[in-house]
DNA sequence: GAGCCCCTTCCTGTATACAGAAGGTGGGCA
DNA sequence: TGCCCACCTTCTGTATACAGGAAGGGGCTC
């Protein structure tokens, strides 16, 4: 039970913020994204209620919404826990995101976007490079997320945009979960600028390819080795038993 | 407030069913799908609680989940209402479903499915034709839905499968909402068999095209005329004012 | 010494009470 | 007669109480 997290929230509360379930949802979401709440962490309703200074009613609502967003697992009569997606689901999430974000990027390129918006995206990409240069991984991730989040918000097709928002969150969680410990950063130099160039040039298929390549590289950076399962156990000990 | 609906639920309750929020979610979902609950219908918590014989706590949870599924609209301090998607959103929902279901079909065809599963799908398609033949539109819709629902469940990529389940529900709602009144049915002869043939033949791109064509035809059957907006009002009365 | 069972404790499921916001309706006023 | 304001009804937001289920620990038995 990360005390630093509790402390941070308590500080925010004392600052006079109005607390209700959207606030709690956002706080938990951010805490999970930044790994202050690692997968598997228990989220008891009473504890959360005390932290945020509200009763279980509000917390329950927030938890229900977080479960709908695939951030936590809620099982009957059991404590809610931060989700810990399997390797399998990680691969599937990436595949889904390639499909959806590729389409969104293609739509965006095809229909052309406002120059101001493009400038903003390029500023974020530049900020990401700079953050990476000075070794500030937290800021780098924030800028990278901002780009993809902005893409989702700009999507001409809002249904796809909402789906993309969900997928960006889910991939971020699994990236944090499965990142190779030896890797300092998941920064892929040039990927974002390439995407923005295709977007600026109105090259729909180029934008789609840029997204697909970017996400494939990202996935390849993860440690998605063979999953530990009972089947593996049996295979490993085959012939070792006395039978 | 459709009394027939209430009566049906009350009967189900007396039958001894165990009521909790998943049950309520399912009942409301089905009622919306079958248009027993038309878009815009008010869903007050107390009324629902009385109908299902539970307190507001349970109903609230169900409503929160229904809102996450895009079945109802929940605004602060306001009664929950059955959603009434705009024409714009309808088009976007269809586009999203074409993308996702096309991919699922392609995956399924590419990886090949069990013969038994294919048989089951073909039985549903046959049952749909027969239901259409005898003019039983309710049964026809049920069989058509079963095919697409099965596709979603079979998706090798479960993330995409879950997204597809959501999209099938949402398209069904808007089909019911925007169907031309003159049309007795939205049956498209041969569409489902064509899809199944591509699936059986392992023709991934053929399956994708079959899905895309099917959904495009379906969308074309709807009455998605120009939407009524204030802009139209101004245009209509341009030059009529005294100024 | 190891395994099993019971008990305790924690946590969720559900119902209910009270406060406050929203919207409709009626009366009063110009 | 038309408009506006105040009241009242209805409904949601939130907190709290009580009941039941799950998990963990300690003690007992083999």
């Amino acid at each position: 039970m990360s005390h630093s997290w509790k402390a941070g929230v308590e500080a925010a509360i004392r600052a006079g913020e109005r607390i209700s379930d959207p606030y709690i949802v956002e706080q938990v979401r951010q805490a999970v994204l930044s790994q202050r709440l690692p997968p598997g962490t228990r989220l008891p309703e009473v504890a959360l209620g005390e932290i945020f200074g509200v009763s279980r009613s509000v917390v329950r609502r927030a938890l229900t919404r977080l479960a709908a967003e695939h951030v936590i697992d809620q099982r009957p009569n059991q404590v809610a826990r931060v989700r810990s997606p399997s390797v399998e689901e990680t691969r599937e999430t990436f595949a889904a995101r390639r499909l959806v974000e590729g389409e969104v990027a293609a739509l965006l390129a095809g229909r052309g976007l406002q120059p101001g918006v493009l400038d903003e995206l390029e500023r974020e990409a530049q900020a990401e490079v700079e953050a990476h240069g000075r070794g500030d991984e937290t800021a780098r991730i924030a800028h990278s997320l901002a780009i993809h989040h902005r893409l989702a918000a700009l999507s001409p097709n809002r249904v796809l945009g909402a789906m993309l928002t969900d997928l960006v969150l889910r991939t971020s969680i699994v990236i944090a979960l499965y990142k190779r410990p030896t890797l300092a950063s998941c920064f892929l130099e040039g990927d974002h600028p390439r995407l923005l160039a295709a977007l600026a040039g109105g090259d729909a298929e180029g934008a789609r390819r840029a997204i697909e390549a970017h996400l494939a590289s990202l996935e390849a950076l993860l440690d998605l080795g063979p999953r530990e399962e009972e089947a593996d156990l049996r295979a490993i000990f085959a012939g070792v038993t006395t039978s």
Side-chain angles (χ1 to χ4, degrees), chain A residues 31 46 66 82 103 117 130 136-137 158 170 174 183-184 191 197 208 230-231 236:
Chain A
V46 278
L66 285 165
V82 176
E103 178 75 7
V117 171
E130 285 163 10
D136 185 351
E137 180 66 359
R158 298 204 189 176
R170 294 170 76 176
V174 296
L183 232 60
D191 270 20
R208 193 196 304 270
E230 52 167 1
I236 289 165

Side-chain angles (χ1 to χ4, degrees), chain A residues 134-162:
Chain A
R134 66 175 185 271
D136 185 351
E137 180 66 359
T138 305
R140 206 225 90 226
I141 292 177
H143 290 301
S144 172
L145 268 179
I147 293 175
H148 295 284
H149 212 275
R150 201 88 194 86
L151 239 52
L154 289 170
S155 170
N157 183 326
R158 298 204 189 176
V159 175
L160 280 179

Side-chain angles (χ1 to χ4, degrees), chain A residues 35 48 107 202 227-228:
Chain A
Q35 282 190 286
L48 250 48
L107 285 174
R227 40 241 179 256
E228 62 285 5

Side-chain angles (χ1 to χ4, degrees), chain A residues 6-17:
Chain A
K6 287 189 181 179
V9 171
E10 280 160 1
I13 291 170
R14 276 186 228 100
E17 313 240 11

Side-chain angles (χ1 to χ4, degrees), chain A residues 116 118-128 130 143 196:
Chain A
L118 196 61
D119 286 351
E120 192 196 327
L121 288 173
E122 270 161 1
R123 249 176 284 128
E124 289 289 354
Q126 188 56 35
E128 184 193 6
E130 285 163 10
H143 290 301
L196 296 186

Side-chain angles (χ1 to χ4, degrees), chain A residues 200-216:
Chain A
D203 177 7
E205 288 316 309
R208 193 196 304 270
R209 278 196 309 273
I211 285 286
E212 286 173 356
H214 174 58
L215 291 174

